[in-house]
Amino acid sequence: MEQDEVSGKVKKLKHVKVYNRLYSMIQDGVYPPGSQLPSEPELAQQMDVSRMTLRRALALLQEDDLVINIRGKGNFINETDPDAALPGMETIQHPVLGALAGTISETELEFRIEPPTEPIIQCLKRRTPVVVIADRWYKQAGKACAYSLSFVPVEVISEKQIELNGKEDLFQYLEHDSYQDASHSTCQFSYTTTGNFTATKYLLSQHPSFILIQETLYDRNHRVLVSSKHYIPVELFKMQINSGAGHGPDGE
């Protein structure tokens, strides 16, 4: 093998060596859960590598769910145990809570009441005089990192006795109670570049790539309780599905 080829292979593996070193430091508690890693220039100097090599190593650690990058803040050690048994997306649960890497520190809610447009009527699969339109911005360390847009028929607001004089009741229903009320749901995952301008109030990511989760929650009578669009930046998207033993088409 030519010397240049050998040198090239060693160079390519350099980020793996940095990854292994940082992995061990995290496991040994040098960087405990919740702590912040040194800045990239400082850490690259400590590791005696280029920033490009360091970023590749950090990307591997992010894949392992050990490190979380928060825009404008830096790199942090995940406080959640990556090996902990978590509910997967095969269960009815909030998609943002189930598929966003890292811990949400704050959720901001705004809502308005409007007559539904034809697209909203199609989402809700029913005619309704007015609909509650709710915007939610999910934040990590004070920075918005995901966004949800939800439509709730006024009939659901009335049946569930959701008080709209404040935000507390609606927030509780959208974030928690609707998932307990739902007997079944559908979630469609797709790629989109509309996340940043759909979120309007905050820039969610420096990059245009998002995962869009279009979710519909149904009651036992197959009526739509809530229809939502959830936007998660690709770099923060982490989905888990727990599966059991498979069966043949005849259930054998």
Side-chain angles (χ1 to χ4, degrees):
M1 184 178 290
E2 296 293 333
Q3 183 63 37
D4 288 346
E5 186 177 351
V6 172
S7 299
K9 286 183 178 291
V10 171
K11 187 175 182 180
K12 287 180 182 178
L13 290 175
K14 208 168 192 180
H15 69 279
V16 178
K17 294 179 179 178
V18 176
Y19 160 81
N20 290 332
R21 185 176 170 188
L22 288 171
Y23 185 98
S24 296
M25 294 173 76
I26 293 170
Q27 296 300 317
D28 293 342
V30 176
Y31 298 115
S35 66
Q36 182 174 8
L37 289 174
S39 67
E40 288 188 5
E42 183 181 349
L43 193 56
Q45 186 175 19
Q46 290 179 13
M47 297 287 121
D48 194 25
V49 294
S50 68
R51 290 184 66 180
M52 177 62 72
T53 297
L54 175 66
R55 285 173 180 167
R56 289 177 177 175
L58 291 173
L60 293 178
L61 291 168
Q62 289 168 20
E63 281 186 358
D64 291 344
D65 212 18
L66 289 173
V67 171
I68 300 168
N69 178 267
I70 299 177
R71 177 172 52 87
K73 296 286 186 178
N75 294 294
F76 294 80
I77 307 304
N78 195 353
E79 296 184 76
T80 307
D81 182 0
D83 297 323
L86 299 173
M89 292 303 295
E90 75 282 355
T91 62
I92 297 178
Q93 63 168 306
H94 195 311
V96 173
L97 302 184
L100 180 69
T103 303
I104 296 171
S105 58
E106 178 189 352
T107 303
E108 182 178 338
L109 166 72
E110 291 183 1
F111 73 91
R112 56 199 182 276
I113 303 172
E114 297 179 359
T117 61
E118 194 59 37
I120 293 177
I121 290 171
Q122 293 299 317
C123 288
L124 297 176
K125 302 179 180 11
R126 69 161 92 179
R127 293 280 172 180
T128 181
V130 294
V131 63
V132 172
I133 303 175
D135 303 277
R136 283 164 288 163
W137 295 271
Y138 301 90
K139 301 179 180 180
Q140 294 178 340
K143 293 283 187 179
C145 58
Y147 168 73
S148 294
L149 174 65
S150 297
F151 309 111
V152 188
V154 69
E155 294 85 355
V156 173
I157 298 295
S158 177
E159 290 171 10
K160 304 301 178 182
Q161 299 182 335
I162 299 172
E163 178 59 60
L164 295 180
N165 287 334
K167 299 179 181 179
E168 294 78 9
D169 281 9
L170 183 61
F171 179 86
Q172 177 66 27
Y173 189 74
L174 290 174
E175 293 295 303
H176 306 287
D177 295 349
S178 59
Y179 294 96
Q180 297 175 6
D181 288 345
S183 66
H184 58 289
S185 69
T186 60
C187 283
Q188 179 180 323
F189 295 76
S190 59
Y191 170 82
T192 185
T193 58
T194 66
N196 277 325
F197 64 77
T198 302
T200 60
K201 191 173 182 178
Y202 298 105
L203 182 71
L204 303 178
S205 174
Q206 297 293 335
H207 308 290
S209 300
F210 284 78
I211 298 298
L212 167 62
I213 307 172
Q214 300 188 70
E215 174 199 40
T216 306
L217 300 176
Y218 298 89
D219 66 11
R220 295 184 182 278
N221 297 315
H222 202 67
R223 295 180 304 174
V224 175
L225 295 171
V226 183
S227 177
S228 300
K229 291 183 176 182
H230 307 281
Y231 296 85
I232 301 176
V234 165
E235 66 269 22
L236 293 178
F237 180 73
K238 193 84 172 181
M239 186 175 71
Q240 177 170 311
I241 297 177
N242 301 314
S243 302
H247 296 282
D250 298 326
E252 297 179 356

